[in-house]
């Protein structure tokens, strides 16, 4: 079980596992973070050489007029909960699985919001974005290894935060189309 603490600005979330007693990462957590960073650096090099196709699924968690963003230990940009779609796995099932793995949350109804295609991190990507709308954020349980931070960002202020390419594409689509409209969008190449 985890506890979620909200900062004084009301937007930054800090997760604390009871076994830690504080938010400081343990030696084991730091080792896992280093392994993730090394693996991600190797994967980016491989992607640059091979230019593989990849399918992903993200969950845009809307909490009133805010969005939940996560930061992985191996990236500087913030992202929605999500990850890769396994072979034969429906995108919505992947979105639910990744949401649970990264936050400890079990999603209610997910609404398909976008199917984005583009080149991010040298991979040709198809990213399915689902929306989950909440009145309040349940407690999060971050592993403090892969996912090390969470924050709520007001929709009106998302441009002030460094986000991944697919998140930026989704939010730009939301700005131009309005919320609640499914969109299929091809996005120009951008490296993140």
């Amino acid at each position: 079980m985890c506890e979620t603490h909200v900062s004084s600005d009301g937007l930054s979330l800090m997760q604390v596992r009871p076994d830690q007693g504080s938010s400081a990462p343990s030696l084991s957590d730091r080792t896992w973070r280093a392994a993730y960073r090394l693996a991600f650096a190797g994967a980016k090099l491989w992607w640059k050489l091979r230019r593989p196709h990849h399918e992903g699924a993200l969950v845009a968690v809307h909490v009133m007029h805010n969005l939940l963003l996560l930061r992985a230990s191996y990236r500087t940009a913030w992202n929605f909960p999500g990850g890769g779609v396994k072979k034969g796995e429906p995108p919505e099932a992947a979105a639910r699985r990744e949401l649970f793995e990264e936050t400890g949350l079990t999603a209610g109804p997910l609404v398909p919001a976008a199917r984005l295609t583009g080149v991010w991190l040298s991979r040709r990507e198809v990213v399915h974005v689902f929306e989950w709308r909440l009145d309040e954020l349940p407690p999060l349980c971050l592993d403090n290894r892969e996912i090390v931070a969470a924050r709520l960002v007001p929709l009106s202020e998302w441009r002030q935060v460094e986000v991944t390419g697919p998140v930026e594409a989704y939010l730009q689509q939301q700005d131009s189309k309005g919320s609640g409209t499914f969109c299929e969008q091809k996005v120009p190449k951008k490296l993140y």
Side-chain angles (χ1 to χ4, degrees):
M1 178 138 244
C2 295
E3 300 174 26
T4 302
H5 301 274
V6 180
S7 67
S8 60
D9 64 6
L11 300 176
S12 299
L13 306 171
M14 180 178 65
Q15 166 270 338
V16 178
R17 292 191 320 242
D19 61 322
Q20 287 180 314
S22 75
S23 62
S26 68
L27 176 60
S28 177
D29 290 341
R30 289 193 306 272
T31 302
W32 274 101
R33 289 178 182 188
Y36 276 116
R37 282 192 297 274
L38 184 61
F40 189 63
K44 287 193 307 186
L45 178 60
W46 179 252
W47 299 335
K48 192 169 188 147
L49 295 171
R50 298 296 305 214
R51 306 261 190 231
H53 290 275
H54 181 258
E55 185 176 18
L58 298 174
V59 181
V61 180
H62 292 259
V63 183
M64 300 296 284
H65 300 290
N66 301 300
L67 279 170
L68 174 65
L69 295 176
L70 305 179
R71 193 172 65 75
S73 58
Y74 48 88
R75 295 182 115 155
T76 57
W78 292 80
N79 199 12
F80 292 146
V85 176
K86 295 177 181 178
K87 187 175 181 175
E89 182 179 34
E92 183 176 339
R96 289 178 179 283
R97 175 180 50 77
E98 289 286 346
L99 176 70
F100 181 76
E101 288 174 5
E102 295 182 354
T103 66
L105 300 177
T106 302
L110 294 181
V111 177
R115 182 179 182 276
L116 308 169
T117 57
V119 177
W120 294 291
L121 295 171
S122 301
R123 292 190 298 186
R124 293 169 286 197
E125 299 254 12
V126 174
V127 179
H128 307 270
V129 182
F130 297 88
E131 292 178 344
W132 185 29
R133 296 188 178 272
L134 302 169
D135 291 330
E136 65 182 61
L137 185 66
L140 303 177
C141 190
L142 311 181
D143 66 6
N144 210 22
R145 294 174 177 178
E146 180 185 10
I147 305 301
V148 296
R151 66 187 291 191
L152 289 174
V153 175
L155 282 167
S156 60
E157 298 174 16
W158 74 264
R159 284 183 180 81
Q160 298 171 20
V161 178
E162 180 186 1
V163 294
T164 63
V167 170
E168 181 179 5
Y170 164 80
L171 292 171
Q172 287 175 342
Q173 169 222 300
Q174 293 300 300
D175 285 349
S176 65
K177 299 282 184 190
S179 184
T181 305
F182 179 82
C183 184
E184 187 163 340
Q185 181 179 13
K186 292 190 180 188
V187 182
K189 179 179 179 177
K190 192 167 187 182
L191 300 176
Y192 282 88

